[in-house]
Amino acid sequence: MAAIRASLMSARSGRIASAVLLALIGLPAVSTASAQADPQGTIVVSPKQQNWVLRDGEGREVTLRGFNVSGSTKLYENDLLPFRTTADAARSAQAMRDLTGANAIRFLISWEGVQPAPDRIDYAYLDRAVAQIRAFTDRGFRVLIDYHQDLYSSHLFNSGSWYTGDGAPKWVIQAGGYPKESCGICLLWGMNMQTNAAVRQAAYDFWRNRVLTTPAGPIGVQDAFLSQAKATMAYLKQKLPAQAFDSIAGFDPFNEPYDGGLDGKTGLDWEKAHLMPFYQRFRTAMDEAGWNAKPAFVEPLVFWNTGFFEEGGMTSVGRLGTRMVFNSHYYDGARMTIDPSPASDGTYAAPMNEIRQRATQLGTAPFISEFGNKLSGNGSDRTPWMTRAMYQAMDSGVPGRNWWDGPAAGGSVLSAIQWQWDIYSGRHHELMNGNPNKVQTDGDGWNDEDHSVVAADDAGNVALRLDRRVLDRLYPSAVNGDTLAFAFEDLARSGYGGAGRQQAWLTVPSSLPRLAALVKDRQYGMLVWKGSATGAPTDLHLPQSFAPSSTTVVSTLGTLNGVPAAGPVKATLEPGASSAHRLQLTPAAQAPRVHFALVVNTAAGTPVTAEQLAAANAELTAWMARKFPAN
């Protein structure tokens, strides 16, 4: 044991401690040569003209859309996993696929769940995680696994505290000897990161790899985290079938990193000195565990795009390259606190473009692993259009009123995972900080949050809480070649349950009168892409409101009023879905030429005529020649 302790204390112990812990817990070390080949279907970062995107095993540009599962991982009533049973996970996955057409999730796990003692990995916990992950991969989902933490650990908080945390195990906090926690006058739980001495000191120690005296001997706290992370990744690779492992998009090493203390320097200095070295160590752990074909989805300092406190953004760390993804969150801090204004067309174009641009500067693809807003309480009446506006800006960085005049300026379609999908919403029974007198039942069951877009009834049926038109969206899930422009008019109302105002944001200019007449008062989307020479189809998810029989397509591949089940333009079920459809577009001659597809929900309104479609096609063809002449 003395030799083990010495190894764990070594400055080189990132690699040594990993091997030692693997030996201690009975899992053989994994050779880095075990996953050299790119597995079929694996997501990779790939170049695209002036930026970088995610591509699948067929080389198609991929857009990942879905939800975090889930904040229930923060709760002891759920044994620190998203779901209480595998059956719940399967029921949730099926509902998500059918109700929203989502193709990806961020699957939360807990350091405390994985490593309840410094010399022990809880394989039963990981086995339950594997079963829940497979409930999604078996239904065609991509899965981003996330080591989640908030305020570092629940064990920093006393039983009567207003707040709680999640993440680090009890033994880490016991060994740290942290001061009594207190947030003072905190309007939001996140303010603990700035004012709670216990939370700040614990985070400070993690980034500096403080050596803790534990029952297993002295160990650097960051070394311990990386060792169990390597053990976890090796075990997941061993337990997941090859197809399921191919569906793992990558790993998010650390949710919402914050500094705990800048030592008089800036957030950018901290990212360079502490955050990036941690990510490089995690990247090494991924490689040694056989995950070298998958990217790490790395997050900047949590405050970088909030407008508050210590800003970062990774401009000081150099290029991330293709083995890391720039992984940001986006919440509208102003509207969550002091700004009473509603969201509207183009509200979030600037912040989403900042994410696009930052990723390009870092030499990698952008990703948004959290966004959204609360569904109850003060300000929640603005949530439908706030969420709608966020999706709009992730589809295109150009406001709808300007899109038809400058579609190419919209940038890449952003992959994004909304916070959150909790089928236990409003039905929790969590003893906050273990206090039987503070049982949390409402909302998310955690720090008074209520963000879940779904809830289940007494019979277990899963239903959306936010309007389906906001969540179930037309989007290009896989494009054969490069997406040049995309936009979608969802016509979502400003309220809940079909209430509120309806207003089109993607407005067609008067210079396109035939097109304007066709899409007036209708949901529609427009995709422009430059195809490749492969035979893979271009896929767009069709929302439930776009029934194939009443969907009109005007494109370079043909013009159809009603989409058949076969041919170059066809509708098929989404993989793993029982009712959700996708539109598949496959040119007869696979050549690198530019295509367009206008997709319109024509279920309501005056029946569309062949003359209308021919006129719209001619107008769109001329518009393409003007807007994309070089292609």
Side-chain angles (χ1 to χ4, degrees), residues 562-588:
V563 182
V569 180
K570 66 180 181 180
T572 65
L573 282 175
E574 290 277 16
S578 63
S579 59
H581 287 82
R582 60 181 171 177
L583 179 69
Q584 292 197 299
L585 306 167
T586 310

PDB file of all heavy atoms in Angstrom, residues 562-588:
ATOM      1  N   GLY A 562     -47.154  16.106 -51.351  1.00  0.00           N
ATOM      2  CA  GLY A 562     -47.317  14.812 -50.709  1.00  0.00           C
ATOM      3  C   GLY A 562     -46.064  13.996 -50.947  1.00  0.00           C
ATOM      4  O   GLY A 562     -45.627  13.840 -52.101  1.00  0.00           O
ATOM      5  N   VAL A 563     -45.447  13.470 -49.876  1.00  0.00           N
ATOM      6  CA  VAL A 563     -44.159  12.793 -49.992  1.00  0.00           C
ATOM      7  C   VAL A 563     -44.361  11.283 -49.937  1.00  0.00           C
ATOM      8  O   VAL A 563     -44.934  10.766 -48.970  1.00  0.00           O
ATOM      9  CB  VAL A 563     -43.195  13.242 -48.870  1.00  0.00           C
ATOM     10  CG1 VAL A 563     -41.838  12.556 -49.024  1.00  0.00           C
ATOM     11  CG2 VAL A 563     -43.028  14.759 -48.898  1.00  0.00           C
ATOM     12  N   PRO A 564     -43.880  10.552 -50.937  1.00  0.00           N
ATOM     13  CA  PRO A 564     -44.052   9.097 -50.960  1.00  0.00           C
ATOM     14  C   PRO A 564     -43.047   8.396 -50.049  1.00  0.00           C
ATOM     15  O   PRO A 564     -42.180   9.018 -49.445  1.00  0.00           O
ATOM     16  CB  PRO A 564     -43.797   8.751 -52.427  1.00  0.00           C
ATOM     17  CG  PRO A 564     -42.816   9.793 -52.876  1.00  0.00           C
ATOM     18  CD  PRO A 564     -43.208  11.063 -52.158  1.00  0.00           C
ATOM     19  N   ALA A 565     -43.152   7.077 -49.976  1.00  0.00           N
ATOM     20  CA  ALA A 565     -42.259   6.266 -49.139  1.00  0.00           C
ATOM     21  C   ALA A 565     -41.063   5.745 -49.918  1.00  0.00           C
ATOM     22  O   ALA A 565     -40.239   5.018 -49.355  1.00  0.00           O
ATOM     23  CB  ALA A 565     -43.035   5.100 -48.533  1.00  0.00           C
ATOM     24  N   ALA A 566     -40.951   6.093 -51.188  1.00  0.00           N
ATOM     25  CA  ALA A 566     -39.819   5.652 -52.003  1.00  0.00           C
ATOM     26  C   ALA A 566     -39.503   6.725 -53.031  1.00  0.00           C
ATOM     27  O   ALA A 566     -40.329   7.576 -53.345  1.00  0.00           O
ATOM     28  CB  ALA A 566     -40.144   4.328 -52.696  1.00  0.00           C
ATOM     29  N   GLY A 567     -38.264   6.687 -53.551  1.00  0.00           N
ATOM     30  CA  GLY A 567     -37.852   7.642 -54.556  1.00  0.00           C
ATOM     31  C   GLY A 567     -36.770   8.576 -54.049  1.00  0.00           C
ATOM     32  O   GLY A 567     -36.337   8.493 -52.896  1.00  0.00           O
ATOM     33  N   PRO A 568     -36.331   9.510 -54.888  1.00  0.00           N
ATOM     34  CA  PRO A 568     -35.263  10.440 -54.477  1.00  0.00           C
ATOM     35  C   PRO A 568     -35.695  11.402 -53.378  1.00  0.00           C
ATOM     36  O   PRO A 568     -34.863  11.920 -52.647  1.00  0.00           O
ATOM     37  CB  PRO A 568     -34.931  11.192 -55.765  1.00  0.00           C
ATOM     38  CG  PRO A 568     -36.142  11.038 -56.628  1.00  0.00           C
ATOM     39  CD  PRO A 568     -36.717   9.705 -56.289  1.00  0.00           C
ATOM     40  N   VAL A 569     -37.003  11.651 -53.281  1.00  0.00           N
ATOM     41  CA  VAL A 569     -37.569  12.432 -52.176  1.00  0.00           C
ATOM     42  C   VAL A 569     -38.594  11.535 -51.494  1.00  0.00           C
ATOM     43  O   VAL A 569     -39.634  11.212 -52.077  1.00  0.00           O
ATOM     44  CB  VAL A 569     -38.235  13.726 -52.672  1.00  0.00           C
ATOM     45  CG1 VAL A 569     -38.819  14.504 -51.498  1.00  0.00           C
ATOM     46  CG2 VAL A 569     -37.249  14.590 -53.442  1.00  0.00           C
ATOM     47  N   LYS A 570     -38.307  11.101 -50.279  1.00  0.00           N
ATOM     48  CA  LYS A 570     -39.195  10.148 -49.623  1.00  0.00           C
ATOM     49  C   LYS A 570     -39.254  10.406 -48.127  1.00  0.00           C
ATOM     50  O   LYS A 570     -38.379  11.071 -47.548  1.00  0.00           O
ATOM     51  CB  LYS A 570     -38.740   8.715 -49.881  1.00  0.00           C
ATOM     52  CG  LYS A 570     -37.392   8.355 -49.247  1.00  0.00           C
ATOM     53  CD  LYS A 570     -37.016   6.909 -49.548  1.00  0.00           C
ATOM     54  CE  LYS A 570     -35.674   6.540 -48.902  1.00  0.00           C
ATOM     55  NZ  LYS A 570     -35.287   5.139 -49.186  1.00  0.00           N
ATOM     56  N   ALA A 571     -40.287   9.873 -47.502  1.00  0.00           N
ATOM     57  CA  ALA A 571     -40.450   9.964 -46.052  1.00  0.00           C
ATOM     58  C   ALA A 571     -40.380   8.562 -45.463  1.00  0.00           C
ATOM     59  O   ALA A 571     -41.033   7.639 -45.964  1.00  0.00           O
ATOM     60  CB  ALA A 571     -41.781  10.615 -45.701  1.00  0.00           C
ATOM     61  N   THR A 572     -39.581   8.402 -44.419  1.00  0.00           N
ATOM     62  CA  THR A 572     -39.465   7.127 -43.709  1.00  0.00           C
ATOM     63  C   THR A 572     -39.504   7.408 -42.219  1.00  0.00           C
ATOM     64  O   THR A 572     -39.302   8.545 -41.777  1.00  0.00           O
ATOM     65  CB  THR A 572     -38.153   6.406 -44.052  1.00  0.00           C
ATOM     66  OG1 THR A 572     -37.044   7.184 -43.563  1.00  0.00           O
ATOM     67  CG2 THR A 572     -38.005   6.216 -45.553  1.00  0.00           C
ATOM     68  N   LEU A 573     -39.761   6.368 -41.430  1.00  0.00           N
ATOM     69  CA  LEU A 573     -39.712   6.533 -39.984  1.00  0.00           C
ATOM     70  C   LEU A 573     -38.294   6.851 -39.538  1.00  0.00           C
ATOM     71  O   LEU A 573     -37.314   6.328 -40.093  1.00  0.00           O
ATOM     72  CB  LEU A 573     -40.186   5.260 -39.286  1.00  0.00           C
ATOM     73  CG  LEU A 573     -41.694   5.000 -39.227  1.00  0.00           C
ATOM     74  CD1 LEU A 573     -41.961   3.641 -38.598  1.00  0.00           C
ATOM     75  CD2 LEU A 573     -42.421   6.101 -38.450  1.00  0.00           C
ATOM     76  N   GLU A 574     -38.189   7.701 -38.536  1.00  0.00           N
ATOM     77  CA  GLU A 574     -36.893   7.927 -37.903  1.00  0.00           C
ATOM     78  C   GLU A 574     -36.416   6.613 -37.276  1.00  0.00           C
ATOM     79  O   GLU A 574     -37.229   5.824 -36.765  1.00  0.00           O
ATOM     80  CB  GLU A 574     -37.003   8.996 -36.809  1.00  0.00           C
ATOM     81  CG  GLU A 574     -37.251  10.404 -37.301  1.00  0.00           C
ATOM     82  CD  GLU A 574     -35.965  11.097 -37.727  1.00  0.00           C
ATOM     83  OE1 GLU A 574     -34.942  10.412 -37.929  1.00  0.00           O
ATOM     84  OE2 GLU A 574     -35.990  12.341 -37.864  1.00  0.00           O
ATOM     85  N   PRO A 575     -35.121   6.334 -37.294  1.00  0.00           N
ATOM     86  CA  PRO A 575     -34.622   5.125 -36.641  1.00  0.00           C
ATOM     87  C   PRO A 575     -35.070   5.073 -35.182  1.00  0.00           C
ATOM     88  O   PRO A 575     -34.902   6.035 -34.436  1.00  0.00           O
ATOM     89  CB  PRO A 575     -33.103   5.266 -36.749  1.00  0.00           C
ATOM     90  CG  PRO A 575     -32.885   6.151 -37.933  1.00  0.00           C
ATOM     91  CD  PRO A 575     -34.039   7.111 -37.930  1.00  0.00           C
ATOM     92  N   GLY A 576     -35.669   3.968 -34.782  1.00  0.00           N
ATOM     93  CA  GLY A 576     -36.111   3.796 -33.409  1.00  0.00           C
ATOM     94  C   GLY A 576     -37.446   4.419 -33.079  1.00  0.00           C
ATOM     95  O   GLY A 576     -37.944   4.249 -31.970  1.00  0.00           O
ATOM     96  N   ALA A 577     -38.045   5.138 -34.027  1.00  0.00           N
ATOM     97  CA  ALA A 577     -39.312   5.821 -33.757  1.00  0.00           C
ATOM     98  C   ALA A 577     -40.495   4.939 -34.121  1.00  0.00           C
ATOM     99  O   ALA A 577     -40.399   4.068 -34.994  1.00  0.00           O
ATOM    100  CB  ALA A 577     -39.392   7.125 -34.536  1.00  0.00           C
ATOM    101  N   SER A 578     -41.614   5.183 -33.454  1.00  0.00           N
ATOM    102  CA  SER A 578     -42.851   4.501 -33.823  1.00  0.00           C
ATOM    103  C   SER A 578     -43.768   5.397 -34.635  1.00  0.00           C
ATOM    104  O   SER A 578     -44.671   4.908 -35.312  1.00  0.00           O
ATOM    105  CB  SER A 578     -43.576   4.023 -32.566  1.00  0.00           C
ATOM    106  OG  SER A 578     -43.961   5.117 -31.759  1.00  0.00           O
ATOM    107  N   SER A 579     -43.525   6.723 -34.593  1.00  0.00           N
ATOM    108  CA  SER A 579     -44.408   7.635 -35.317  1.00  0.00           C
ATOM    109  C   SER A 579     -43.674   8.804 -35.973  1.00  0.00           C
ATOM    110  O   SER A 579     -44.215   9.420 -36.884  1.00  0.00           O
ATOM    111  CB  SER A 579     -45.483   8.187 -34.375  1.00  0.00           C
ATOM    112  OG  SER A 579     -44.892   8.870 -33.286  1.00  0.00           O
ATOM    113  N   ALA A 580     -42.475   9.143 -35.523  1.00  0.00           N
ATOM    114  CA  ALA A 580     -41.753  10.293 -36.077  1.00  0.00           C
ATOM    115  C   ALA A 580     -41.128   9.937 -37.424  1.00  0.00           C
ATOM    116  O   ALA A 580     -40.619   8.818 -37.615  1.00  0.00           O
ATOM    117  CB  ALA A 580     -40.670  10.751 -35.104  1.00  0.00           C
ATOM    118  N   HIS A 581     -41.153  10.890 -38.358  1.00  0.00           N
ATOM    119  CA  HIS A 581     -40.651  10.673 -39.707  1.00  0.00           C
ATOM    120  C   HIS A 581     -39.457  11.565 -40.023  1.00  0.00           C
ATOM    121  O   HIS A 581     -39.244  12.597 -39.394  1.00  0.00           O
ATOM    122  CB  HIS A 581     -41.752  10.933 -40.742  1.00  0.00           C
ATOM    123  CG  HIS A 581     -42.804   9.882 -40.790  1.00  0.00           C
ATOM    124  ND1 HIS A 581     -43.870   9.852 -39.908  1.00  0.00           N
ATOM    125  CD2 HIS A 581     -42.972   8.806 -41.624  1.00  0.00           C
ATOM    126  CE1 HIS A 581     -44.644   8.811 -40.174  1.00  0.00           C
ATOM    127  NE2 HIS A 581     -44.129   8.169 -41.213  1.00  0.00           N
ATOM    128  N   ARG A 582     -38.728  11.136 -41.029  1.00  0.00           N
ATOM    129  CA  ARG A 582     -37.665  11.963 -41.598  1.00  0.00           C
ATOM    130  C   ARG A 582     -37.883  12.065 -43.100  1.00  0.00           C
ATOM    131  O   ARG A 582     -38.459  11.169 -43.736  1.00  0.00           O
ATOM    132  CB  ARG A 582     -36.285  11.370 -41.303  1.00  0.00           C
ATOM    133  CG  ARG A 582     -36.084   9.973 -41.872  1.00  0.00           C
ATOM    134  CD  ARG A 582     -34.721   9.407 -41.529  1.00  0.00           C
ATOM    135  NE  ARG A 582     -34.643   7.988 -41.896  1.00  0.00           N
ATOM    136  CZ  ARG A 582     -33.550   7.246 -41.757  1.00  0.00           C
ATOM    137  NH1 ARG A 582     -32.453   7.773 -41.249  1.00  0.00           N
ATOM    138  NH2 ARG A 582     -33.559   5.978 -42.108  1.00  0.00           N
ATOM    139  N   LEU A 583     -37.431  13.166 -43.669  1.00  0.00           N
ATOM    140  CA  LEU A 583     -37.438  13.372 -45.111  1.00  0.00           C
ATOM    141  C   LEU A 583     -36.046  13.029 -45.622  1.00  0.00           C
ATOM    142  O   LEU A 583     -35.049  13.560 -45.118  1.00  0.00           O
ATOM    143  CB  LEU A 583     -37.780  14.827 -45.424  1.00  0.00           C
ATOM    144  CG  LEU A 583     -37.815  15.231 -46.896  1.00  0.00           C
ATOM    145  CD1 LEU A 583     -38.992  14.573 -47.601  1.00  0.00           C
ATOM    146  CD2 LEU A 583     -37.882  16.751 -47.032  1.00  0.00           C
ATOM    147  N   GLN A 584     -35.972  12.132 -46.596  1.00  0.00           N
ATOM    148  CA  GLN A 584     -34.685  11.740 -47.165  1.00  0.00           C
ATOM    149  C   GLN A 584     -34.598  12.209 -48.607  1.00  0.00           C
ATOM    150  O   GLN A 584     -35.493  11.960 -49.418  1.00  0.00           O
ATOM    151  CB  GLN A 584     -34.498  10.226 -47.095  1.00  0.00           C
ATOM    152  CG  GLN A 584     -34.347   9.711 -45.661  1.00  0.00           C
ATOM    153  CD  GLN A 584     -33.761   8.321 -45.599  1.00  0.00           C
ATOM    154  OE1 GLN A 584     -34.347   7.378 -46.122  1.00  0.00           O
ATOM    155  NE2 GLN A 584     -32.609   8.184 -44.961  1.00  0.00           N
ATOM    156  N   LEU A 585     -33.493  12.896 -48.912  1.00  0.00           N
ATOM    157  CA  LEU A 585     -33.274  13.491 -50.231  1.00  0.00           C
ATOM    158  C   LEU A 585     -32.016  12.868 -50.829  1.00  0.00           C
ATOM    159  O   LEU A 585     -30.919  13.022 -50.271  1.00  0.00           O
ATOM    160  CB  LEU A 585     -33.099  15.004 -50.099  1.00  0.00           C
ATOM    161  CG  LEU A 585     -34.221  15.747 -49.346  1.00  0.00           C
ATOM    162  CD1 LEU A 585     -33.797  17.166 -49.006  1.00  0.00           C
ATOM    163  CD2 LEU A 585     -35.492  15.759 -50.184  1.00  0.00           C
ATOM    164  N   THR A 586     -32.161  12.180 -51.952  1.00  0.00           N
ATOM    165  CA  THR A 586     -31.038  11.480 -52.558  1.00  0.00           C
ATOM    166  C   THR A 586     -30.986  11.794 -54.049  1.00  0.00           C
ATOM    167  O   THR A 586     -31.808  11.277 -54.832  1.00  0.00           O
ATOM    168  CB  THR A 586     -31.166   9.958 -52.366  1.00  0.00           C
ATOM    169  OG1 THR A 586     -31.417   9.663 -50.987  1.00  0.00           O
ATOM    170  CG2 THR A 586     -29.886   9.256 -52.798  1.00  0.00           C
ATOM    171  N   PRO A 587     -30.046  12.627 -54.481  1.00  0.00           N
ATOM    172  CA  PRO A 587     -29.924  12.924 -55.914  1.00  0.00           C
ATOM    173  C   PRO A 587     -29.624  11.664 -56.721  1.00  0.00           C
ATOM    174  O   PRO A 587     -28.900  10.774 -56.260  1.00  0.00           O
ATOM    175  CB  PRO A 587     -28.756  13.913 -55.977  1.00  0.00           C
ATOM    176  CG  PRO A 587     -28.674  14.498 -54.601  1.00  0.00           C
ATOM    177  CD  PRO A 587     -29.098  13.406 -53.674  1.00  0.00           C
ATOM    178  N   ALA A 588     -30.165  11.568 -57.915  1.00  0.00           N
ATOM    179  CA  ALA A 588     -29.929  10.403 -58.770  1.00  0.00           C
ATOM    180  C   ALA A 588     -28.466  10.322 -59.177  1.00  0.00           C
ATOM    181  O   ALA A 588     -27.866   9.251 -59.186  1.00  0.00           O
ATOM    182  CB  ALA A 588     -30.828  10.480 -59.996  1.00  0.00           C
TER     183      ALA A 588
END
